[in-house]
Amino acid sequence: MRPPGLFASCGNFFNESATKRLSAHLTKGLLLDVNCRSEHVFTRFAAQNSKECDNNPNFPAEDSQIMPRIVTTEDRRLEEARNRKKHWKRWGPYLSERQWGTVREDYSPGGTAWEFFPHDHARSRTYRWGEDGIGGISDRHQMMCFGLALWNGRDPILKERMFGLTGNEGNHGEDVKEYYFYLDATPTYSYVRMLYKYPQREFPYGQLVEENRRRGREQPEFELLDTGIFAGNRYFDIYAEYAKADVEDILIKITAVNRGPEAASLHLLPSFWFRNTWSWGRDLRRPHACVATSVPESVCAELQHWQYGKRWLICAGQPELLFTENETNNARILGERNRSPYVKDAFHEYITHGNKAAVNPQKTGTKMATYYPVELGPGQSATLKLRLTDIEPLAGMERELGLVGIMTSPGHAERAEGVPATNDFGAGFDGLFALRQKEADEFYASRTPKELSNDAKAVMRQSLSGMLWSKQFYHYDVRTWLEGDPAGPPPLKERWKGRNKDWTHLYNEDILSMPDKWEYPWYAAWDLAFHCIPLALVDPDFAKDQLILLLREWYMHPNGQLPAYEWAFSDVNPPVHAWAAWRVYKIDRRVRGVADRAFLERVFHKLLLNFTWWVNRKDPEGMNIFQGGFLGLDNIGVFDRSAPLPTGGNLEQSDGTSWMGMYCLNMLAIALELAKEDIAYEDVASKFFEHFVHIAHAMNDIGAGGRALWDDEDGFYYDVLHLPNGEEHFIKVRSVVGLIPLYAVETLEPEIVDRLPGFKRRMQWFMDNHPDFPEHIEMTQRSARGPRRLLSLVNRRRLKRVLARMLDETEFLSPYGIRALSRYHMDHPYEVHVNGQVNRVDYEPAESTSGLFGGNSNWRGPVWFPLNYLLVESLQKFHHYYGEDFKIECPAHSGRESDLWEVSAEISRRLVHIFLRGKDGRRPVAGAIECFQNDPHWKDLVLFHEYFHGDNGAGLGASHQTGWTGLVAKLLEQSGE
């Protein structure tokens, strides 16, 4: 049987003998996938046997043959969720890793979010907009939450959330100082598993703060491992696992393992609480938790919420049940009287200080915990078993008639067979976990190429699992936030002149994919677009819903702008939403076998508004040369591109203009697809075709005011600085800004153009009447169906010159992908002297020494996955047009020539090998951290960082960025190792 997704659209063009020969090549592992405007898989052998279908990006969807995929049990759950038959995704790992220090919780007059709600307040102070926890889950509205609290007998505080440094404490910005790993997850969360490594010695909170504060930006961050706290393996591995017996019936297993050489005590407190929605003066309805009658050999709490009805938390064994209120400890935080004698930090007081009066003796409240103290010998483990369920415990006991429970939730239905009874914490409980693990294995086997090594399969699964764990309930109502709550103090008037004041329409209350649930526990527009590509491999419906969500009226600004991120919604991210929608549409078509044109049409209409906003706001002179600001590339420039220039004047941005060229082509591709069934889209397709050609002409030929963004002397694209006195200067920083023009490339296939006569006539008229634009529309007869046209910002001659720099290992080409800044600047820093100050760009392959945008990201040398992924895709598109006739040295000066298909495969290979063990048994991502390289309890745990060292591939920045770095799963799926 062919691997999933092969020959999705090309089967009609291979005769039987060719297919047999191709299959022989596949079995030898010669598969190379193409990501070129289609989700088809090809080999070089295929290209030689099909002139009409070799990597044809515009092949008609209705003619395609979708490769049948084994339908797994998890696939059936996804289908039930899609059709709203069963709400399998109602519960998931939607807790944040950090709610404190966010903009949402900041009510300070000056917008000092880190200081207004610090980590020290988090255990005692109620959150307004969301909840956080360790290895936890919640319902999709985060009314009910479950997480884990821990104490090793030495820490000064109960461990209820991950610790890290604020943006002002870290020498490279905010940074989590814990070790935790997302090990497994299915898209319906029928099975999920994570690991937290908890030290047995006192956690060094003060040392981490002080040492990082002492270090400068030129020094590396001081990490938890650097303190020596894990020496001698004196730590616990804490595994949190969840298995759904049904939508509202969740089995929970907490396993603690003592990795140390001596016996150690551990206090485990699996906790349940209600998000506080009653203290703000808007909705006084209050949920309730209390002790309930339990089944034998267990204890039970009844949980009642006005929205969901009753639930029960059943706990195996005889743990002590603790109760308090999810209310702020005003006495500690403000020095004021508490509204309730039982407050949020009661369990901390009870466990760490022995304050018995801190918890409610009446065994009732809005926050509860099950207290399991354990003593573990060396290598010994203990497993806690719990069940969060809508089955009334006594009615769900195993009896002679085999009853499995009475439904008490709204809209309940019969339960499936095989659900263990509520008093079965033995074979039935364990059997359900084993079954869900087996189903998870089957699901990932259906998504993972069989040709991959076991190591690569594990990396792909961990990356996708990390993305599924990184969903979060995100709640932010800007108007309410600015106005303040009736029960709270009135906000200062300065807030109406501060952050996000122009976004009062924005009301977010959804499950969203986060870049990193600790370091970036808020969505970012362009991050989210990249997330959706790998997410579409496992859950295309969620990927589509995410893209639609940001275009809805309660996200998108009335003027058409997409919200950037909560720190400044009005900032501008690169316009990649249309690209992501087009890619997800094709992935979905392959995975599910159906072309969802309704989705494509929905996003297209809203993107027209966004495109118009870009044209009106970012091309102020109407010259088709765009600005845009920092565009997600934080410190890439010699100046802060989001601030007024110290020189005065303005900056014509190579990347801003290139992104808009790419945007035009993405919208053109979508319009042509929709025009197949509705000719009204032919006109708008013509509009995007013509707009692109104008942008290409402006960028390469005349620029704004007479200078193009192409420097023919250097063979590279640069920003152009326009000074108030009329002078123009290239900003000669060789960065990814000059490579982004490669992204704007598309082919027009003759079979598509011929099918749309209105578009064809208009295109021909435009070319006939604009004879000065020919080099931006190349034509070839390579297609047997007629002339194939290439639309690209970069023509053939300039492509050669740009690639010569990009593939030079002394410039952009790293052993681990394409650097964001050329290594040339290591010996040749770029400087601009303005008003007695030196503005300088150096090659910095690791962390940033610049404080721009907080200094927690660095685009001056490291390797970044999203931009590399787009380069891989663009090279494949160029190869589709130019074929094997276009060759270039790869690496430059090596004497080895490759076509662009081979170049794209080489870059992909370098990227994925950041995470794979090399011949020396080491993973580049782990750098010099020896436990990650050699320790049997660490070496298979992979972190998907924000970016990677430009010379050695070590992971840098946010450590759980399985957002856009999750693209490694797509690279492995399409191109292998």
Side-chain angles (χ1 to χ4, degrees):
M1 182 175 178
R2 293 175 295 185
L6 295 189
F7 313 117
S9 295
C10 301
N12 289 337
F13 290 92
F14 289 91
N15 59 38
E16 184 176 357
S17 61
T19 304
K20 287 181 178 178
R21 294 195 303 276
L22 179 56
S23 298
H25 282 256
L26 292 178
T27 58
K28 295 178 182 178
L30 300 179
L31 179 65
L32 282 177
D33 182 22
V34 162
N35 187 10
C36 190
R37 286 277 325 276
S38 76
E39 281 305 313
H40 314 151
V41 181
F42 298 90
T43 64
R44 179 157 314 287
F45 180 86
Q48 294 169 353
N49 282 272
S50 173
K51 295 181 179 180
E52 296 184 279
C53 188
D54 60 330
N55 190 20
N56 185 342
N58 289 302
F59 200 76
E62 58 270 33
D63 295 337
S64 63
Q65 291 185 351
I66 304 301
M67 178 61 201
R69 184 191 295 280
I70 296 173
V71 178
T72 66
T73 302
E74 182 66 10
D75 285 309
R76 287 191 284 271
R77 290 192 193 99
L78 285 168
E79 190 66 13
E80 288 176 335
R82 189 176 69 86
N83 294 325
R84 298 183 179 273
K85 291 182 178 179
K86 300 188 77 171
H87 299 290
W88 283 106
K89 302 177 192 176
R90 177 174 290 160
W91 283 84
Y94 305 143
L95 289 179
S96 177
E97 306 289 2
R98 175 175 63 83
Q99 184 69 16
W100 59 271
T102 61
V103 168
R104 309 185 291 291
E105 301 293 343
D106 175 26
Y107 286 82
S108 66
T112 52
W114 290 114
E115 289 73 27
F116 183 78
F117 203 136
H119 175 268
D120 184 57
H121 286 194
R123 69 177 181 275
S124 306
R125 186 169 161 189
T126 302
Y127 294 129
R128 172 63 177 87
W129 297 99
E131 295 290 340
D132 58 19
I134 297 174
I137 60 173
S138 77
D139 68 278
R140 65 175 298 107
H141 299 290
Q142 208 161 90
M143 297 296 186
M144 300 184 286
C145 309
F146 178 91
L148 189 60
L150 306 159
W151 191 52
N152 58 15
R154 294 181 173 87
D155 283 355
I157 62 174
L158 183 68
K159 177 73 70 173
E160 295 179 275
R161 56 191 50 80
M162 306 295 182
F163 172 74
L165 303 184
T166 71
N168 300 322
E169 289 174 334
N171 61 324
H172 294 289
E174 62 265 37
D175 187 43
V176 68
K177 299 300 182 183
E178 308 266 16
Y179 293 102
Y180 55 101
F181 307 89
Y182 305 131
L183 301 181
D184 212 353
T186 59
T188 65
Y189 304 110
S190 57
Y191 178 72
V192 288
R193 183 170 182 251
M194 70 88 67
L195 167 64
Y196 171 61
K197 290 185 177 288
Y198 185 39
Q200 294 173 3
R201 298 185 179 95
E202 179 179 337
F203 197 91
Y205 292 103
Q207 183 184 5
L208 288 166
V209 172
E210 292 305 318
E211 178 59 22
N212 278 283
R213 181 179 292 154
R214 186 188 66 79
R215 294 189 177 194
R217 293 191 183 279
E218 296 76 18
Q219 295 174 283
E221 295 174 331
F222 183 67
E223 304 292 0
L224 184 59
L225 274 166
D226 298 328
T227 68
I229 199 169
F230 290 99
N233 290 330
R234 287 177 168 83
Y235 67 91
F236 300 102
D237 270 342
I238 311 292
Y239 295 91
E241 293 179 83
Y242 302 86
K244 290 184 181 178
D246 209 334
V247 172
E248 298 279 357
D249 189 11
I250 305 168
L251 280 57
I252 305 167
K253 187 161 60 173
I254 309 296
T255 302
V257 185
N258 180 3
R259 299 295 184 195
E262 302 165 352
S265 61
L266 176 64
H267 303 257
L268 294 152
L269 290 90
S271 304
F272 177 94
W273 67 100
F274 298 102
R275 177 165 63 90
N276 189 324
T277 58
W278 57 86
S279 292
W280 321 111
R282 296 180 182 273
D283 188 341
L284 302 181
R285 289 175 294 181
R286 194 182 187 98
H288 179 73
C290 63
V291 172
T293 304
S294 63
V295 299
E297 300 181 358
S298 69
V299 297
C300 180
E302 181 181 287
L303 319 165
Q304 186 157 1
H305 193 279
W306 48 264
Q307 178 167 312
Y308 285 110
K310 289 184 179 180
R311 299 291 184 275
W312 289 267
L313 182 63
I314 311 170
C315 315
Q318 296 297 313
E320 183 182 2
L321 295 186
L322 308 177
F323 290 83
T324 188
E325 301 294 339
N326 187 11
E327 296 271 9
T328 296
N329 184 345
N330 289 315
R332 176 176 183 264
I333 300 299
L334 302 173
E336 300 176 357
R337 183 177 178 180
N338 287 329
R339 292 190 297 181
S340 165
Y342 312 110
V343 289
K344 183 178 178 181
D345 56 12
F347 305 153
H348 159 78
E349 286 292 318
Y350 183 87
I351 299 297
T352 66
H353 297 299
N355 182 2
K356 306 298 182 183
V359 298
N360 190 341
Q362 301 301 315
K363 302 290 184 181
T364 184
T366 51
K367 179 180 178 182
M368 62 151 296
T370 60
Y371 177 32
Y372 293 87
V374 297
E375 184 78 15
L376 298 177
Q380 189 178 1
S381 66
T383 297
L384 315 184
K385 297 180 179 181
L386 305 94
R387 186 167 181 171
L388 182 58
T389 182
D390 60 352
I391 306 175
E392 197 281 322
L394 295 180
M397 289 176 60
E398 187 69 59
R399 302 179 189 275
E400 290 182 1
L401 297 179
L403 298 178
V404 293
I406 297 173
M407 304 312 110
T408 61
S409 59
H412 65 264
E414 283 298 318
R415 296 219 176 249
E417 294 183 5
V419 174
T422 52
N423 61 334
D424 183 356
F425 283 100
F429 187 96
D430 295 338
L432 194 281
F433 265 95
L435 177 62
R436 293 295 181 260
Q437 287 174 309
K438 179 176 178 290
E439 291 166 352
D441 292 342
E442 292 171 347
F443 176 77
Y444 278 105
S446 75
R447 262 59 178 184
T448 307
K450 296 178 182 178
E451 296 80 11
L452 294 181
S453 66
N454 289 336
D455 187 35
K457 288 177 181 178
V459 167
M460 183 174 173
R461 184 163 176 171
Q462 281 190 53
S463 68
L464 291 169
S465 297
M467 298 205 66
L468 294 170
W469 266 97
S470 295
K471 295 182 190 179
Q472 178 185 307
F473 171 76
Y474 184 89
H475 188 22
Y476 189 17
D477 173 358
V478 172
R479 179 173 291 279
T480 297
W481 178 74
L482 288 170
E483 291 175 346
D485 292 306
L492 299 176
K493 293 182 180 179
E494 290 90 333
R495 286 171 56 79
W496 286 95
K497 299 178 182 179
R499 180 174 287 135
N500 298 331
K501 63 182 175 60
D502 298 324
W503 290 79
T504 55
H505 74 285
L506 189 136
Y507 183 93
N508 298 166
E509 191 177 6
D510 298 285
I511 302 300
L512 284 153
S513 179
M514 296 292 122
D516 180 310
K517 289 206 294 186
W518 195 96
E519 204 149 318
Y520 304 116
W522 28 260
Y523 66 89
W526 79 310
D527 292 61
L528 186 67
F530 286 106
H531 299 182
C532 290
I533 306 307
L535 281 169
L537 295 176
V538 291
D539 191 355
D541 287 319
F542 179 75
K544 290 185 292 184
D545 289 344
Q546 292 286 281
L547 292 169
I548 290 171
L549 194 58
L550 254 66
L551 299 171
R552 298 306 302 265
E553 295 75 21
W554 47 93
Y555 283 77
M556 176 186 274
H557 197 280
N559 66 16
Q561 184 180 6
L562 293 183
Y565 44 81
E566 67 174 29
W567 286 89
F569 283 129
S570 293
D571 266 353
V572 182
N573 281 178
V576 292
H577 218 79
W579 166 80
W582 180 230
R583 296 289 286 113
V584 167
Y585 168 78
K586 292 180 291 181
I587 296 171
D588 179 42
R589 186 175 67 194
R590 171 166 64 85
V591 171
R592 293 183 52 240
V594 178
D596 190 350
R597 292 178 186 275
F599 156 73
L600 202 60
E601 198 162 7
R602 286 182 72 184
V603 297
F604 184 77
H605 283 282
K606 299 303 286 288
L607 285 169
L608 288 173
L609 301 176
N610 179 246
F611 187 89
T612 302
W613 175 84
W614 267 90
V615 171
N616 290 338
R617 296 294 297 274
K618 298 302 174 183
D619 179 21
E621 298 180 12
M623 298 294 292
N624 295 302
I625 295 291
F626 292 82
Q627 299 172 25
F630 91 113
L631 287 174
L633 307 184
D634 299 37
N635 64 344
I636 194 75
V638 69
F639 304 121
D640 181 349
R641 302 196 303 171
S642 283
L645 295 174
T647 60
N650 63 284
L651 197 66
E652 305 291 4
Q653 294 181 215
S654 174
D655 54 337
T657 305
S658 303
W659 287 122
M660 282 304 290
M662 176 182 168
Y663 199 173
C664 280
L665 293 181
N666 299 148
M667 294 294 277
L668 171 61
I670 295 172
L672 291 173
E673 177 73 8
L674 295 174
K676 294 173 184 177
E677 295 186 2
D678 187 344
I679 61 172
Y681 288 97
E682 290 189 57
D683 291 343
V684 73
S686 297
K687 175 263 181 294
F688 285 112
F689 167 78
E690 295 176 18
H691 201 142
F692 169 78
V693 177
H694 283 296
I695 290 174
H697 184 64
M699 183 169 180
N700 287 282
D701 299 296
I702 60 168
R707 181 184 286 262
L709 303 182
W710 170 259
D711 179 11
D712 204 51
E713 180 181 351
D714 287 1
F716 206 68
Y717 288 96
Y718 295 120
D719 291 346
V720 173
L721 176 63
H722 291 258
L723 296 174
N725 63 5
E727 293 181 12
E728 298 175 349
H729 301 276
F730 281 124
I731 301 296
K732 291 196 172 187
V733 177
R734 292 183 198 163
S735 74
V736 72
V737 166
L739 301 180
I740 290 175
L742 298 175
Y743 300 163
V745 56
E746 202 65 80
T747 56
L748 294 178
E749 300 298 320
E751 56 267 31
I752 300 299
V753 174
D754 290 344
R755 187 172 173 176
L756 305 172
F759 174 77
K760 183 177 182 179
R761 285 194 302 270
R762 175 65 189 177
M763 179 178 68
Q764 192 61 52
W765 180 91
F766 183 85
M767 292 189 295
D768 292 343
N769 287 272
H770 293 83
D772 53 336
F773 286 7
E775 69 173 307
H776 310 301
I777 311 172
E778 292 192 34
M779 257 192 339
T780 180
Q781 296 293 330
R782 293 178 66 85
S783 171
R785 297 192 178 190
R788 175 180 292 159
R789 295 174 175 85
L790 176 73
L791 303 178
S792 173
L793 288 180
V794 185
N795 63 28
R796 185 183 183 112
R797 181 179 66 86
R798 291 177 179 175
L799 178 61
K800 284 262 188 183
R801 298 191 68 189
V802 171
L803 291 181
R805 290 203 184 278
M806 189 183 88
L807 299 177
D808 189 333
E809 292 180 315
T810 67
E811 290 217 33
F812 287 98
L813 184 61
S814 158
Y816 305 100
I818 302 299
R819 303 176 176 105
L821 186 81
S822 172
R823 206 166 186 268
Y824 167 83
H825 291 297
M826 181 171 66
D827 298 321
H828 306 86
Y830 183 80
E831 293 184 350
V832 175
H833 297 258
V834 180
N835 300 327
Q837 291 192 344
V838 178
N839 298 269
R840 175 172 170 143
V841 173
D842 293 89
Y843 174 70
E844 301 176 51
E847 300 280 13
S848 172
T849 62
S850 164
L852 290 180
F853 288 88
N856 63 335
S857 294
N858 183 26
W859 291 85
R860 295 182 176 181
V863 172
W864 290 76
F865 256 75
L867 300 191
N868 271 262
Y869 183 84
L870 289 176
L871 283 171
V872 169
E873 182 177 282
S874 297
L875 290 169
Q876 292 171 335
K877 292 180 182 181
F878 278 116
H879 174 78
H880 173 62
Y881 181 80
Y882 289 121
E884 296 177 25
D885 296 338
F886 189 109
K887 292 184 181 290
I888 192 163
E889 281 188 296
C890 181
H893 316 300
S894 67
R896 299 191 304 270
E897 288 204 329
S898 303
D899 62 37
L900 297 183
W901 177 270
E902 293 165 332
V903 173
S904 73
E906 175 62 16
I907 294 173
S908 179
R909 186 193 66 80
R910 293 183 182 217
L911 289 166
V912 301
H913 278 264
I914 289 174
F915 303 99
L916 302 181
R917 285 201 197 95
K919 293 179 180 179
D920 58 359
R922 300 175 70 87
R923 300 183 194 276
V925 63
I929 307 175
E930 288 305 314
C931 65
F932 277 104
Q933 301 290 10
N934 300 307
D935 191 299
H937 301 302
W938 292 75
K939 67 179 184 179
D940 292 325
L941 303 172
V942 180
L943 289 173
F944 299 88
H945 289 258
E946 183 181 6
Y947 52 96
F948 303 88
H949 195 290
D951 294 334
N952 62 37
L956 299 165
S959 56
H960 291 75
Q961 186 97 2
T962 37
W964 58 25
T965 303
L967 288 163
V968 66
K970 189 68 182 74
L971 291 174
L972 284 167
E973 189 257 358
Q974 71 189 27
S975 299
E977 300 173 65

